[in-house]
Amino acid sequence: MVFFRSLSALSRLRSRSAQQSSLGTSVRWLQMESSSDLDLRSQLKEMIPEQQDRLKKLKAEHGKVQLGNITTDMVLGGMRGMIGLLWETSLLDPDEGIRFRGLSIPECQKLLPAAKPGGEPLPEGLLWLLLTGKVPNKAHVDALSAELRDRAQVPDKLYKFIDGLDVTAHPMTQLSAGVMFLQVQSEFQKAYENGIHKSKYWETTYEDSLNLIARLPALAAYIYRRIYKEGQSIPMHDSLDYGGNFAHMLGFDNPKMHELMRLYVTIHSDHEGGNVSAHTAHLVASALSDPYLSFAAALNGLAGPLHGLANQEVLLWIKSVVDECGENVSTEQLKEYIWRTLNSGKVVPGYGHGVLRQTDPRYTCQREFALKHLPDDPLFQLVSKLYEVVPPILTELGKVKNPWPNVDAHSGVLLNHFGLTEARYYTVLFGVSRSIEYARS
Ligand code: AMX
């Protein structure tokens, strides 16, 4: 939503040490604030006028402040390293990785409500955190889960429309087309046509955003069941949370898979504004295109192999290693396979990043999940081996700025372990997760 586009550019200018020392205080403040019993919409209604004033003040008082120097490399790299958007929901530090409203992933795992004590964070909690800047309590999150379930109905015509697409069309193509089909439901578009005052834009944007977030799992699960399970779709559960319900509709009811889906959606939700899809969503939204239009545009960016499609590429590549060398591949065989990949003009998928310069904390938390739930899985062991073998080789190439793994290097083997083996579908899961951030455009 437009009103939240403030300050992240300025927050980047703060020194790292200032960020670290203020974190403890800000987290405590966030928790104290969470005792309010307002629902999400009411909280936003209270906050929005303040945020609108804050943005005006920022412009008036700091509008002429310089934020950096632009070099030719930055332009050639497509705004690489350049502050280009206001982004307050998350901050991506090259060495430390992502923070959502100031909280690292381990802090989110500790502070956000879970389905059961000690479990993975519920994505609804992260949605609340991103929109309000406050850590919700369990009652807030349960109410938001119920609200999303209430909004989740999609028209049957959507399924007929998807059935009209070639079943061999990539799942991301089907997802993006389905979102465009749903665009006829945009409340924002209707309100705009009726001449709504700009101070009220947020109200219908909020409706569209929550409806879209709520309806995506049904659409995405339908696509999965249509392509891979002979069209036998599974209705929504009447009491499960967002992540659990999504896994359920896909056909997975192992409680560990529900936990994985909660973690998956949470960590894939937001990664600041420099990546292709996030940038696209906000660029398109700045034309007052409604959340359906901007989200569909973002999905099309996410569908590229150097971005969201990398999770598909990783599992296919790992399986090709196994096909050729077996599960107990030796270090020497692995090195040879990696060099062959590089020498044939391809990238090693799941490694490298446009901003990060260390191991992605989203990789690390998935590794911890694997160590806890599937330590003996042969593909997990192969992923662990790659973590030792790939970085020195990429470093040896001499041009790769970040030889470390990103989020996509790990997600596939977790899904594969619990039976979601169809790699070509993986980017859809990434896309559904990103609705939590993009839909606020
Ligand atoms: N394997 C082989 N070569 C790589 C590489 C990798 N994993 N990562 C970077 N390089 C190469 C680049 O292709 C480039 O080569 P060139 O000069 O011949 O064109 C050179 O190293 C310098 O690139 P860079 O500045 O380090 O990276 P970048 O910012 O240009 O690109 C990224 C970043 C992610 C596209 C790149 O690291 C890559 O292609 N990684 C593999 C695909 C991948 O995992 N993508 C997912 C990223 C996370 C996400 O969005 N989901």
Side-chain angles (χ1 to χ4, degrees), residues 406-417:
N406 60 55
V407 64
D408 300 312
H410 215 306
S411 54
V413 295
L414 302 180
L415 298 163
N416 186 72
H417 179 85

Side-chain angles (χ1 to χ4, degrees), residues 1 11 34 42 44 75 77 94 137 145 215 236 268 271 285 300 323 374 378 386 391 395 397 406 410 421 440:
M1 293 174 206
S11 65
S34 72
S42 314
L44 292 174
V75 173
N137 60 32
S145 291
R215 290 166 194 172
M236 197 181 85
H268 284 80
H271 214 230
N300 294 338
D323 283 348
L374 45 131
L386 286 167
T395 305
L397 269 186
N406 60 55
H410 215 306
T421 55
R440 79 182 172 90

Side-chain angles (χ1 to χ4, degrees), residues 77 80 268 271 275-277 302 304-311 313-314 341-342 346-357 360 362 390 394 397-409 430 434:
R80 192 61 46 95
H268 284 80
H271 214 230
N275 59 83
V276 170
S277 53
L302 194 70
L306 296 188
H307 189 18
L309 205 79
N311 57 9
E313 297 298 286
V314 167
T341 301
L342 293 169
K346 297 179 193 154
V347 296
V348 177
Y351 281 75
H353 200 271
V355 178
L356 285 168
R357 293 297 174 255
D360 189 337
R362 300 172 298 175
V390 175
L394 290 183
L397 269 186
K399 61 177 181 178
V400 181
K401 295 195 192 67
N402 175 31
W404 301 105
N406 60 55
V407 64
D408 300 312
F430 201 155
R434 280 285 163 104

Side-chain angles (χ1 to χ4, degrees), residues 5 8-9 64-65 92 175 177 187 193 253 265 267 297 307 330 369 390 421 440:
R5 293 178 188 166
S8 80
K64 301 285 179 276
V65 172
L92 180 57
L175 183 69
E187 299 290 328
E193 279 169 8
D253 276 323
V265 175
I267 63 171
H307 189 18
S330 70
F369 188 95
V390 175
T421 55
R440 79 182 172 90

